[in-house]
Amino acid sequence: DAGVTQSPTHLIKTRGQQVTLRCSPKSGHDTVSWYQQALGQGPQFIFQYYEEEERQRGNFPDRFSGHQFPNYSSELNVNALLLGDSALYLCASSLVPGQGYGYTFGSGTRLTVV
Amino acid sequence: QKEVEQDPGPLSVPEGAIVSLNCTYSNSAFQYFMWYRQYSRKGPELLMYTYSSGNKEDGRFTAQVDKSSKYISLFIRDSQPSDSATYLCAMKGESGGGADGLTFGKGTHLIIQP
């Protein structure tokens, strides 16, 4: 049973560029959340998608946007990249939104902005 | 003051010792409390979750929540070198209140010495 799959594993981008990260949720899960984890920090909630709509958003600027597809997979887009956007980006899926447990995380995409 | 405080360590203990990890928080709306384990270059893996106050035991792991003190703990008995990892506490409020994103601590880096 495949867990959460994220691609690519690593990515290097130049400041000012745009990037798209992808996530396939665990089989049977329909809700996807994205987190940013800077080095030495805990993950920070970016946003959550359910039924192809952004359901909740953390304290991140509009440069961060997302999308959920009918097959529940999701994309995270970041525009006008800053050096401070360098981090591990984690995708987490769950069976229903708002469930207090049962989040399954992927191994993440490590983004380096130079 | 951050919403969730967690000592980053590192915490180094000999194999077989009892490990105590803890977090404090300030948001009284938090109702779900979780502990995740994260190995290097991997995503967080759910270890334990507790709803509201109380204790929960699962094998060598025990989670405790004291909402009156806004303090949560994770105990690991008979610690093994394979327990060496970063341990993240996470919490969230009830669903439907726009509080579905997890709020994480910074993580404690645990080292079990053989």
Side-chain angles (χ1 to χ4, degrees):
Chain A
D1 178 25
V4 177
T5 304
Q6 292 188 242
S7 63
T9 305
H10 296 87
L11 203 52
I12 300 175
K13 288 288 189 178
T14 302
R15 191 172 42 182
Q17 285 188 317
Q18 178 265 344
V19 68
T20 298
L21 311 181
R22 295 177 176 80
C23 171
S24 293
K26 181 178 178 179
S27 178
H29 286 184
D30 60 6
T31 303
V32 173
S33 302
W34 287 92
Y35 289 80
Q36 179 195 66
Q37 186 175 24
L39 195 63
Q41 303 294 319
Q44 280 195 289
F45 175 68
I46 302 175
F47 42 53
Q48 182 183 80
Y49 276 84
Y50 173 67
E51 294 186 331
E52 302 180 49
E53 290 189 358
E54 182 180 299
R55 189 168 176 271
Q56 188 189 352
R57 189 179 187 91
N59 188 25
F60 279 79
D62 292 345
R63 297 188 297 110
F64 290 78
S65 62
H67 189 78
Q68 185 179 34
F69 300 93
N71 66 354
Y72 308 124
S73 67
S74 176
E75 287 181 351
L76 165 66
N77 300 293
V78 186
N79 294 322
L81 285 167
L82 303 174
L83 296 179
D85 294 331
S86 295
L88 180 67
Y89 287 85
L90 296 163
C91 172
S93 71
S94 60
L95 182 56
V96 293
Q99 195 178 41
Y101 53 93
Y103 291 85
T104 301
F105 281 83
S107 292
T109 294
R110 185 161 298 282
L111 172 65
T112 302
V113 182
V114 297
Chain B
Q1 182 189 13
K2 297 197 72 172
E3 273 194 299
V4 179
E5 299 280 359
Q6 184 177 12
D7 187 339
L11 175 63
S12 183
V13 301
E15 182 177 354
I18 296 175
V19 175
S20 174
L21 304 168
N22 54 74
C23 291
T24 59
Y25 64 95
S26 58
N27 189 342
S28 58
F30 288 145
Q31 293 286 352
Y32 293 89
F33 303 91
M34 288 145 276
W35 286 94
Y36 284 84
R37 178 175 62 194
Q38 187 174 26
Y39 292 113
S40 179
R41 302 183 182 279
K42 296 291 186 182
E45 170 195 13
L46 180 66
L47 282 176
M48 301 283 288
Y49 76 88
T50 309
Y51 176 72
S52 194
S53 286
N55 296 351
K56 189 169 185 177
E57 186 174 323
D58 184 2
R60 297 186 296 114
F61 299 92
T62 300
Q64 291 184 350
V65 175
D66 182 348
K67 289 190 67 181
S68 62
S69 301
K70 295 189 176 66
Y71 187 90
I72 70 171
S73 301
L74 176 71
F75 298 95
I76 307 174
R77 292 181 298 280
D78 188 25
S79 56
Q80 304 294 313
S82 59
D83 294 328
S84 298
T86 295
Y87 288 79
L88 297 153
C89 63
M91 43 199 84
K92 71 177 285 294
E94 293 285 6
S95 65
D100 290 332
L102 298 178
T103 300
F104 282 86
K106 188 177 290 192
T108 297
H109 181 44
L110 175 65
I111 301 168
I112 307 298
Q113 301 169 333

